[in-house]
Structure formats: structure tokens, C-alpha cells
Amino acid sequence: MQLGEGDNLSLNMKVILFAVGSGALSALLALSLITGSGLALLLAYLAPFPLFLTGLGNGGKPAAIAGFAGIVFATLIGGPYAGSIFAIMNAFPCWLFVRLVLTSRTRNGVEEWFPIGSALVTLSGYGSALFVLALAFLPVGTDGIAQMVKDFLTLVLNTVAASLDAEQKEGFVTQMAHFFPAMVLISWKLMTVINAILAQGVLSKSNKALRPSPVYGELTLPDFASWAFIGCAALTVLTSGDIAYVFRNITVVMAIPFLALGLTVVHQLVRLTRFAGALLSAFYLLLLLSIWVAIPVIGLGLIEQWIGLRKKFLR
């Protein structure tokens, strides 16, 4: 395999300055949460966009420069803690994603690019590793991880929704605590992937993208992904306490690539009907309204991974 950012891409002063500026902008967007503004969350979600714009348009080295510049600016503005969080949640994963998706090889005269599905699985693995690593530094008491999460959510709820009565707060906290780490990681992963798609779209329209935009309907996942997912699910059932809690949340995170794969099957199924647009709109509305709809779609993704529904039955 060879990186798509070959030696023919010059690292001139213009590219370096653009990378530094992108890193500074990314840091400012990420730290906008400090202001408490109503738009702060939306701005923070756009923090990876400048990094991806630099990397997907100029290569891995400019992406590294942008990430490092962002860490420096975040540290200067918010201190070492803010700089560390920016490095973990934005700079490193964006650089890693860029390096992966710009990897290519030439086979029989045809250039093959690193599969997007493999990059998605890598992000899931990275997020899961972060979760496990964070537990090593968090003060987990004798009551366990779940209780620690409940205490955190109760503290947040008492701050942002003090008007709710105790019973409502307890019910909300109890429901959220089961999968709260997974929800945080999935939100981060969606933020990262959506910004990468937006950056690739902008670069493609201006003919500055280093790799062709992938055909998402042809998404594939590496073979080991299904076994990693099933292994985590099995450990959730076979263990108890903190170990079961950790693997339950990792299982949810590892399910996201299969949700994406299942959605490609759903799209191909719907295209066989007369009212594809209306059916897809209704399906996604239902998916937004009820998370339980995602479960059969994930199962569909697993079946696609094992037997190849799209190739065997949907062509």
C-alpha cells in the first residue's frame, strides 16, 4: 500500500500557513463551548471540518501540522486540559482518518483506495479504546462504573433541569446511564464522519480532493469486524458488573458500522419499489423516532457481511 499523499505533493509555505490557520480555526470552534452560547454546540460539532479540509485536500503531513497547531492554540486559550481533549477528540482521529483514506495501491493498473468501511471500524475501535483508557483515570468508586455515570448525570440534570421533580430525574438518569458512554462516543463518531463527508464534498466540487469520493452504496467492512462485534456482545452476556457494563457500551459502538452497512441494503431494497423516495423518508423518520428500528438494520448489516445480500439477491 502507498499513501495517496505521495512525494509529488509539495509542502510549501502556502500549504503550511493554510494548515496552521485551519488548526487555529478548529481549536476556536472546539472551545466555543466555553462561551455558553446557544450556537456553541453547533460550532463545536464543526471543529473537525478545517482539519479534514486541510488533510483530504493536501495530505497527511499538512493534516498533522493542522492538528498540532490546533493543540497549541487550544492549550494557549483553554490550558493543558483543553489542549489534551482537543488532541484526543479532534487532532489525532482526524489525522488518522486522513492517513487511512488517502492510502492506495495500484493493482493491474487500477488504483484501489483504502475502504471507507475499514476506516469506520477503526474509528469505532479508537473510541472504544478511549472509553477503556478513560476508566483507568476516572475515580470509579466501590459502587461501580454505572453508579459513577448515574452520579454524573444527576449532577448535570440538577444543573440544567432543576425544575424536574426527583422521580422524573431518577427515571431519566436510570435510562440514560445504561448506554451513556456509548451515546457520547457515537455522537463523537458521527461528528467526525459527517465533517469528513462535508470536507470531501467541498474539495470534490472544486476538484481539489486527493481521492475520488467513495460510493457509499458499495460500503464493505473488514471480516474481523463481525467477530469483534459478536465477541463484545457475548462478553456482555457472559459477564456481570463493571465488565458487562463496559462491553455493553463497546458493543453499541461497534454496531455502528453494521448499521451503516445495513442501511446500504435498505437503500437497495427500497430502490426495487415504485415509491423509493417516500419510503426512504418514512424509514428515516421512523429511525429517528425509535432507536429500536436500528436493531433489525444492524442485523441486516451482519447478514450482508456474512452472505452478501447485495451481490446475490439485489442485483
Side-chain angles (χ1 to χ4, degrees), residues 171-240:
F172 179 80
V173 167
T174 301
Q175 290 182 359
M176 288 284 290
H178 291 297
F179 297 102
F180 181 71
M183 293 168 63
V184 172
L185 289 171
I186 289 170
S187 176
W188 161 78
K189 184 175 178 179
L190 286 175
M191 173 189 72
T192 303
V193 172
I194 289 172
N195 278 281
I197 292 172
L198 290 174
Q200 177 69 14
V202 170
L203 291 167
S204 295
K205 287 184 178 180
S206 57
N207 294 319
K208 293 182 179 178
L210 292 182
R211 69 166 283 171
S213 294
V215 180
Y216 297 103
E218 298 177 0
L219 179 72
T220 58
L221 300 179
D223 292 336
F224 72 85
S226 60
W227 297 112
F229 172 66
I230 292 172
C232 289
L235 286 170
T236 300
V237 176
L238 297 174
T239 58
S240 60

Side-chain angles (χ1 to χ4, degrees), residues 245-287:
Y245 184 88
V246 169
F247 278 106
R248 179 168 66 242
N249 281 272
I250 291 178
T251 299
V252 175
V253 175
M254 295 301 293
I256 298 303
F258 292 98
L259 176 63
L261 187 60
L263 288 174
T264 65
V265 179
V266 170
H267 275 252
Q268 289 207 11
L269 283 170
V270 170
R271 287 195 188 114
L272 299 176
T273 68
R274 280 181 157 187
F275 311 103
L279 285 175
L280 279 176
S281 298
F283 169 78
Y284 278 106
L285 178 60
L286 190 61
L287 185 61

Side-chain angles (χ1 to χ4, degrees), residues 14 16 40 43 48 51 62-63 74 126 184 210 228 233 259 275 278 306:
K14 181 180 177 181
I16 293 173
L43 294 175
L51 302 179
Y126 176 77
V184 172
L210 292 182
L259 176 63
F275 311 103
W306 289 333

Side-chain angles (χ1 to χ4, degrees), residues 135-149:
L135 293 175
F137 295 95
L138 291 174
V140 179
T142 55
D143 293 330
I145 301 171
Q147 187 58 49
M148 178 188 68
V149 173

